[in-house]
Amino acid sequence: MQHPSDTSHIPQGCPAHENLHLYGPSFGADPDGHYAHLRAAGPSAPVDIAPGVEVELVTSYDAALHILHNPASFVRDSRRWNALNEGRVPADSPALPMMGYRPNALFSDGAAHARLRQVVTDSLATVDERQLVRLTQQSADYLISRFSPERGGEADLMSAYAAPLPLLVFSQLFGCPPEIGDRVISGISGIFEGTPGADEVLGGALSELIALKHRRPGTDVTSRLMQHPAGLSDEEVLHQLVTLLSGGTAPLAATIGTSTALYLGEDWQAGLPVEGAVSQTLWNYAPIANYAAHYPTHDVDLGGRTIRANDPVLISFAAANTDPKLSVHREQLSAKAHLGFGAGPHACPAKDPAFMIAVTAVESLLKRLPDVELGRPFAALAWVPSPWSRSLVTLPVRFTPRTIPFAGGDLSQSQSGSASRPSVAPADALMARNGQVENGSAASKQRKGGLFSRFLSWTRGE
């Protein structure tokens, strides 16, 4: 494996210009090498974040902090984007769903941002810490119990565990009924997978959820957003939910996957807590790798480079966290000084719950499968070729199949004081109970309904 400082293999961009491409197989194969190459240009450098889409990428920790803490000169409203307004961004560009304007806190500034962020912060503050741990454990138990016995103690933790777990937790926090929860999960998963029509599926499901909460409000986050004194419109509520889903689920999946891989890896020191693996992930493998587009309100100088007003400046959280200039005194910094959750007025409002979910997810896996081990060395694992996320493509593991003790309990039963079910059926019995009756090597059709419906049926013992 080449050392990140060896950038001789890094392409210089296409013949038409010298911008480095921050997407595709070459980037996915060695993101650290690309960041090292860019640092030679100074605290920032122009890159293509997608075909035909140029941005200025900040790789310096100090420069990133300066921008994140300077909202007067660097704003988030992408309606300022020069190239987009001038018709120079392809209409089908994969950068548009990530950078295009939405009426939410992420793309707002000043008083508008303060209003929307306060609603989100206040609504999330109503989530009980113990409830969150219980929801995470319950989701973990369900997903682990679904590991197919046909594979003889093998699983891909990214697709079977890390990716769906945050979706199950968030669907419960938002108060989704089964069918709406199925479509929320399908829509948000499709957006990150590039599935046509996924945005419409998600929007339709969330619109129905909001209409339902008008008729039957509850104690969930959706109801709290709608009941807040700030008086959000239904459209504003919908876009805050989209932000919470997109900003919470995929990055959490990446964090859970990478933290598990680190903890099980050959270089991990035995006895160190799971919290250390999660912190190391946030420092060295920032789940949101390159994002947070800012638009200078005037021409600015960045390390000798003049950035034109309203040209997008993206923060490379991944590169900033691993800035060599930072490493010499990183030991003196707080363990939370990383930029994995951003910084400044737009820092993640749910960083503590997110950290707790990640830690609980990894601990639950280790408790349920105490002999779990990586199917290949950590250094041999592949990263997705996306500029936005630092996430493993797959995470193969081996373990001894066993009956999984049930820890979470039915949330409604737990709140009412009733006893939880004492244990989870073995995977083969569970599959039979849920309509996946085995016939040799083939299984009959699954129980009707999507992932969330099946999960809720399982929690109720149906």
Side-chain angles (χ1 to χ4, degrees), residues 214-225:
H214 276 301
R215 300 191 303 271
R216 297 199 301 271
T219 58
D220 48 82
V221 173
T222 304
S223 297
R224 298 299 189 195
L225 289 170

Side-chain angles (χ1 to χ4, degrees), residues 36-98:
H37 179 84
L38 289 169
R39 289 191 187 101
S44 71
V47 301
D48 281 4
I49 203 75
V53 181
E54 178 181 296
V55 302
E56 189 76 11
L57 188 74
V58 176
T59 58
S60 159
Y61 182 89
D62 290 339
L65 274 184
H66 170 72
I67 292 169
L68 293 167
H69 284 288
N70 193 356
S73 296
F74 297 92
V75 298
R76 299 294 296 271
D77 190 336
S78 59
R79 290 174 294 186
R80 292 171 167 265
W81 188 358
N82 285 328
L84 183 62
N85 293 332
E86 295 164 6
R88 293 187 284 114
V89 177
D92 60 350
S93 172
L96 282 177
M98 303 300 294

